[in-house]
Amino acid sequence: HKNSYKNIEIIIVENNSSSDEIFEYYRTLTQMHDNVRVLDYGKHEFNYSAINNYGVAHCNGEYVLLLNNDTEIINPDSIAEMLGLCMRDDVGATGAKLLYSDNTVQHAGVLIGIEGTAAHPFLRKQKDDCGFMMRAVLNYNYSAVTGACLMTKKSLFNEVGGLDENLKVAFNDIDYCLKLRKRNKLVVYNAFSLWYHYESVSRGYEDSIEKIRRFNNETAKFQKTWKQELSRDPYYNDNFKDDRYLFRV
């Protein structure tokens, strides 16, 4: 009802849903829309990378938009905005501006190396806050964007082997973007592609002993793989402090 770009197929990868309501919703969707498909991933443990790889393997488009189930489009031209950048030969992936339900910023690009891993600039800033040098409201190159809403070329996705399935939940999106950067492709934040992201609404937070252990293991693997790249983000000035507050001296 909101999206203005119509040349799309929608693939829902079903994983471990249990309520009758959601399966009835799937039936209604596929009956009403001939461009919607539901793929049954099966009763496997949650692995964000594997689920997305499975979905991409079954899609027909030249471009793929990875999209979490806790997102909602705001700007009707959001998909067209991302596609316009992603079609450039020098661009490997594009990300969007994502807001929490209170209209503060959840994602406006990703900086790497901050406190050893990665961080979101302008986190919790108001939607229309310009940020440092207008970076929150204009398109900018970044080292990475979040996989919650990430568009990429299917050919590139296959070329780099998709998302790393050893990174089941954390850092698989950053890892993917860095693989594109190694191929001299740009990763671009699109400030005009606007969505809500109700972060962790369906999976919960990383707060159990098992989830914390898994997160720590994935953090160690990510840091080992990209040790050199994490030493300096080319899109973040060395004169700023390397901490979670970002863009301060």
Side-chain angles (χ1 to χ4, degrees):
H1 299 294
K2 295 181 182 178
N3 166 46
S4 64
Y5 187 81
K6 302 303 181 182
N7 186 27
I8 59 174
E9 62 173 352
I10 298 173
I11 295 176
I12 301 169
V13 185
E14 162 54 36
N15 175 230
N16 290 330
S17 294
S18 56
S19 70
D20 292 337
E21 181 183 9
I22 189 64
F23 290 102
E24 181 58 36
Y25 179 62
Y26 291 159
R27 283 189 288 271
T28 301
L29 272 181
T30 53
Q31 289 169 3
M32 291 178 62
H33 306 282
D34 58 10
N35 65 332
V36 177
R37 283 188 288 149
V38 179
L39 303 178
D40 186 2
Y41 181 69
K43 296 295 183 181
H44 304 292
E45 69 170 341
F46 184 81
N47 183 321
Y48 183 85
S49 297
I51 290 170
N52 278 282
N53 290 344
Y54 182 76
V56 173
H58 289 82
C59 75
N60 297 308
E62 295 177 58
Y63 298 86
V64 178
L65 175 61
L66 307 183
L67 193 62
N68 277 21
N69 66 348
D70 54 0
T71 54
E72 179 184 349
I73 196 168
I74 300 173
N75 175 7
D77 295 328
S78 290
I79 292 177
E81 279 283 347
M82 297 177 79
L83 183 61
L85 290 176
C86 202
M87 290 178 69
R88 285 171 36 185
D89 289 339
D90 57 343
V91 172
T94 58
K97 186 171 190 174
L98 306 181
L99 305 177
Y100 290 110
S101 58
D102 63 358
N103 285 312
T104 60
V105 174
Q106 189 271 331
H107 172 269
V110 177
L111 295 168
I112 62 169
I114 308 302
E115 296 188 333
T117 53
H120 289 198
F122 316 119
L123 190 67
R124 287 293 186 183
K125 295 288 188 180
Q126 293 299 313
K127 180 183 76 169
D128 297 322
D129 190 305
C130 292
F132 176 77
M133 297 291 287
M134 305 290 287
R135 286 183 67 149
V137 294
L138 296 176
N139 298 347
Y140 267 91
N141 296 332
Y142 277 92
S143 287
V145 291
T146 180
C149 183
L150 182 155
M151 185 179 288
T152 188
K153 298 176 176 69
K154 185 180 180 182
S155 58
L156 276 176
F157 190 88
N158 292 333
E159 182 182 323
V160 302
L163 301 184
D164 186 346
E165 296 185 10
N166 292 310
L167 298 172
K168 297 179 181 180
V169 180
F171 301 115
N172 41 53
D173 46 1
I174 316 301
D175 176 81
Y176 176 73
C177 290
L178 292 179
K179 287 189 289 188
L180 296 178
R181 294 289 300 123
K182 284 195 74 171
R183 285 163 171 76
N184 295 317
K185 298 296 183 181
L186 297 174
V187 175
V188 188
Y189 155 67
N190 190 309
F192 306 99
S193 179
L194 195 62
W195 309 67
Y196 284 117
H197 181 203
Y198 309 112
E199 189 181 35
S200 302
V201 74
S202 57
R203 266 198 34 86
Y205 289 96
E206 302 290 275
D207 53 3
S208 69
I209 293 175
E210 181 182 351
K211 287 183 178 181
I212 292 171
R213 183 182 299 116
R214 193 248 329 126
F215 176 79
N216 289 337
N217 289 338
E218 292 179 356
T219 299
K221 182 183 186 303
F222 173 73
Q223 290 174 326
K224 181 178 180 181
T225 301
W226 300 106
K227 181 178 180 180
Q228 180 176 346
E229 286 76 8
L230 291 174
S231 66
R232 182 182 182 275
D233 189 320
Y235 301 108
Y236 189 57
N237 194 298
D238 288 340
N239 292 298
F240 289 120
K241 292 183 178 179
D242 175 11
D243 62 25
R244 61 189 175 89
Y245 294 103
L246 304 176
F247 294 112
R248 66 175 190 145
V249 295

